[in-house]
Amino acid sequence: MSARVLVVEDDPDIGPSLVHALRVQGYDSALAPDAATAQRLVAEQPPDLVLLDLGLPDLDGVELCRRLRAALPSAVLVVLTARDSEIDVVIGLDAGADDYLIKPFRLTELLARLRAHLRRRPPAAGSAQVSIGHVLLDLAARRCFVDSSEVALRPKELDLLSLLMSEAGSAVSRDRLMAEVWDEHWTGSTKTLDMHVSSLRRKLHEAGEDAERIATVRGFGYRYERELSPLPR
Ligand code: CA
């Protein structure tokens, strides 16, 4: 079955041609030229991935992003924007986006990102559960618990946590995180990685895990701490 992609874009020069290009690639794509149509289509036929332009005629794109995330907890939300300044808001402040593309973008780049996002990730080999500190990660069910309360993680946050926890105690390089969680041919900015790490850190911390659990390894990447230092930092 082909993946269902909803394109939310009011620009008549972009929306229809994007939908057409996606159909040519085998996606089941639909166009919503405004937020009202997007919400109706999402309710009728939930998409696997949404490409969301932030500048819409009838509703603030960030607000729509938030609503789509609430309605579609496991779909991939990719924001399209001409304004770099909006990225922190949509990804960092939990409007729920998984990724973004700055306009103008190349179709080949967009398609590469879509393939990476829609690739089904098999559960990690070996133990189906990893438990360190207060966090329990159920890899097969793709659920995360802190002190037995479930924490809602976005798909990429869960993939990131899964890789960091499976390598706990060792530093994992930014390149490897980008390659394994996003795409092996990633060429874009690694800001997406940092945004996801800070959002993951915040969610785990709010649920009761130590904020130091995911350590930044300067100039290299991140490390999931198996033991936390008893010394104050
Ligand atoms: Ca627009």
Side-chain angles (χ1 to χ4, degrees):
M1 217 180 69
S2 55
R4 193 185 298 280
V5 177
L6 177 64
V7 177
V8 186
E9 170 63 84
D10 62 320
D11 187 334
D13 290 332
I14 300 178
S17 59
L18 201 48
V19 166
H20 176 72
L22 290 168
R23 285 200 185 130
V24 169
Q25 295 291 321
Y27 294 105
D28 176 3
S29 60
L31 177 65
D34 53 53
T37 311
Q39 288 176 290
R40 182 171 53 76
L41 291 177
V42 159
E44 283 169 8
Q45 293 192 309
D48 302 300
L49 186 145
V50 181
L51 290 174
L52 173 62
D53 172 44
L54 288 184
L56 294 170
D58 56 340
L59 183 68
D60 173 48
V62 175
E63 176 55 27
L64 178 61
C65 189
R66 216 169 262 137
R67 291 186 195 178
L68 292 179
R69 172 49 73 213
L72 303 164
S74 61
V76 177
L77 303 182
V78 179
V79 160
L80 309 175
T81 177
R83 285 167 291 178
D84 196 12
S85 58
E86 287 172 329
I87 301 309
D88 296 21
V89 179
V90 289
I91 295 185
L93 298 183
D94 236 14
D98 295 291
D99 198 2
Y100 65 91
L101 277 166
I102 305 277
K103 289 178 173 181
F105 50 84
R106 284 174 309 144
L107 184 61
T108 49
E109 161 138 45
L110 172 74
L111 293 172
R113 300 267 190 110
L114 295 201
R115 275 194 300 274
H117 281 296
L118 292 169
R119 192 176 52 198
R120 292 267 174 256
R121 300 188 67 79
S127 163
Q129 293 195 342
V130 190
S131 176
I132 297 168
H134 297 266
V135 177
L136 169 79
L137 185 63
D138 185 331
L139 297 166
R142 295 182 60 81
R143 299 174 78 184
C144 172
F145 301 85
V146 175
D147 294 333
S148 39
S149 300
E150 183 157 18
V151 179
L153 296 183
R154 302 185 324 234
K156 292 292 172 192
E157 290 170 346
L158 202 128
D159 292 340
L160 197 53
L161 182 61
S162 154
L163 178 53
L164 287 171
M165 283 183 84
S166 65
E167 303 276 324
S170 307
V172 183
S173 73
R174 303 175 65 82
D175 285 351
R176 185 168 163 214
L177 289 164
M178 291 308 299
E180 293 196 20
V181 176
W182 277 271
D183 181 69
E184 61 265 46
H185 304 299
W186 185 270
T187 50
S189 143
T190 58
K191 195 170 184 177
T192 301
L193 170 63
D194 299 319
M195 291 293 182
H196 278 76
V197 169
S198 50
S199 147
L200 186 55
R201 242 182 214 146
R202 182 170 44 75
K203 285 184 182 178
L204 297 181
H205 184 53
E206 282 170 5
E209 179 54 284
D210 201 298
E212 321 269 271
R213 190 62 77 172
I214 303 177
T216 301
V217 183
R218 215 171 270 276
F220 184 78
Y222 295 98
R223 180 182 60 242
Y224 202 85
E225 303 287 23
R226 224 174 246 295
E227 314 280 344
L228 291 175
S229 164
L231 300 169
R233 298 181 185 203

